[in-house]
């Protein structure tokens, strides 16, 4: 009896880890992340262009802040923090209040809310459907709820494994499609105060 009980207890962690993820459990795991850093490659397919528009760079996330730096072909930076989107390309800097623009807010929360594990923000703008795959893999489909957002966006699909997002695909009503792949994903990234000041800025 004792040996059988020991075998059962030893098996419990592996059985639990094999359970299919749910939207609630996945977002809870994202909410517990200290931070994130990854490389990305983005390809935008526009109906009028024969070749996709390609860009690459790095992305960081910490405490509800998202920093995106494009390194090629044309350097640019975009910071989402404190309800604002700050962008810089070349010598031009622009700042937008996210809350004043429901379409922009919807686009921002499609990614930020997932990383923050913020289900309320996510479902404010989207109907979210999580489809489990093998092991800890999953596919998250986001369909806009907001009328203004639906005029521009058909759906967003994210694919990942555990708390690692591998791909994000955005399909617009026009038929244009943006596919972003993430590599070298560090989901245990912590930022010292000095690093945070250096990374989460557009100047």
């Amino acid at each position: 009896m004792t040996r059988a009980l020991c075998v059962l207890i030893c098996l419990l962690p592996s059985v639990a880890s094999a359970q299919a993820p749910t939207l609630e459990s996945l977002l809870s795991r994202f909410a517990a992340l200290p931070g994130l850093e990854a490389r990305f490659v983005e390809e935008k397919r526009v109906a009028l262009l024969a070749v996709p528009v390609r860009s690459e760079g790095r992305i960081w996330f910490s405490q509800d802040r998202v920093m995106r730096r494009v390194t090629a072909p044309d350097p640019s930076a975009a910071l989402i923090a404190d309800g604002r989107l700050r962008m810089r390309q070349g010598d031009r800097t622009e700042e937008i209040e996210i809350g004043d623009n429901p379409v922009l807010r919807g686009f921002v929360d499609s990614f930020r809310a997932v990383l923050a594990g913020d289900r309320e923000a996510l479902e404010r703008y989207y109907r979210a459907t999580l489809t489990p795959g093998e092991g800890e893999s999953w596919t998250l489909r986001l369909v806009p709820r907001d009328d203004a957002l639906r005029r521009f966006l058909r759906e967003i699909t994210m694919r990942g494994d555990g708390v690692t997002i591998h791909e994000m695909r955005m399909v617009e009503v026009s038929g244009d499609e943006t596919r972003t792949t993430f590599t070298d994903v560090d989901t245990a990234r912590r930022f010292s105060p000095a690093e945070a000041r250096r990374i989460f800025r557009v100047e």
Side-chain angles (χ1 to χ4, degrees):
M1 178 67 71
T2 303
R3 182 177 180 183
L5 183 60
C6 180
V7 170
L8 177 61
I9 292 173
C10 291
L11 284 175
L12 283 177
S14 61
V15 171
S17 64
Q19 290 180 346
T22 63
L23 180 60
E24 183 177 0
S25 66
L26 179 65
L27 293 179
S28 294
R29 292 184 65 185
F30 273 113
L33 295 183
L36 177 143
E37 179 177 357
R39 296 181 182 274
F40 71 85
V41 173
E42 182 179 279
E43 289 190 346
K44 184 174 179 64
R45 297 182 180 274
V46 182
L48 298 177
L49 299 178
V51 179
V53 178
R54 187 179 188 276
S55 60
E56 60 183 80
R58 300 184 77 90
I59 191 166
W60 297 265
F61 172 80
S62 176
Q63 298 178 350
D64 221 23
R65 297 173 295 177
V66 180
M67 184 72 212
R68 183 178 186 270
R69 292 190 185 277
V70 174
T71 54
D74 300 311
S76 65
L79 172 64
I80 299 166
D82 302 320
R84 297 181 178 87
L85 170 63
R86 299 194 67 203
M87 300 173 290
R88 179 170 182 173
Q89 187 162 18
D91 295 330
R92 182 183 176 186
T93 301
E94 184 177 1
E95 184 170 314
I96 302 172
E97 289 284 344
I98 296 173
D100 294 341
N101 189 323
V103 175
L104 177 60
R105 177 70 181 270
F107 276 113
V108 166
D109 275 347
S110 66
F111 190 66
R112 183 210 62 80
V114 171
L115 292 179
D118 189 344
R119 184 168 185 171
E120 181 180 352
L122 184 67
E123 294 190 328
R124 184 181 303 130
Y125 290 96
Y126 296 94
R127 293 193 303 274
T129 305
L130 186 76
T131 303
E134 294 185 3
E136 291 190 314
S137 66
W138 48 266
T139 299
L140 177 62
R141 182 170 181 253
L142 304 176
V143 178
R145 295 180 185 270
D146 183 80
D147 289 338
L149 192 56
R150 277 205 302 265
R151 287 196 288 268
F152 294 92
L153 181 65
R154 185 178 301 164
E155 69 175 19
I156 294 174
T157 304
M158 299 181 192
R159 292 184 174 85
D161 195 328
V163 288
T164 299
I165 299 177
H166 297 300
E167 179 184 277
M168 179 174 174
R169 178 173 167 265
M170 181 182 299
V171 181
E172 300 175 30
V173 172
S174 64
D176 293 349
E177 178 181 320
T178 302
R179 180 174 176 266
T180 307
T181 55
F182 301 95
T183 58
D184 298 336
V185 182
D186 181 358
T187 58
R189 184 70 160 88
R190 297 181 184 275
F191 302 91
S192 68
E195 278 185 312
R197 288 192 296 270
R198 175 175 57 83
I199 292 173
F200 293 95
R201 55 184 295 179
V202 298
E203 290 81 2

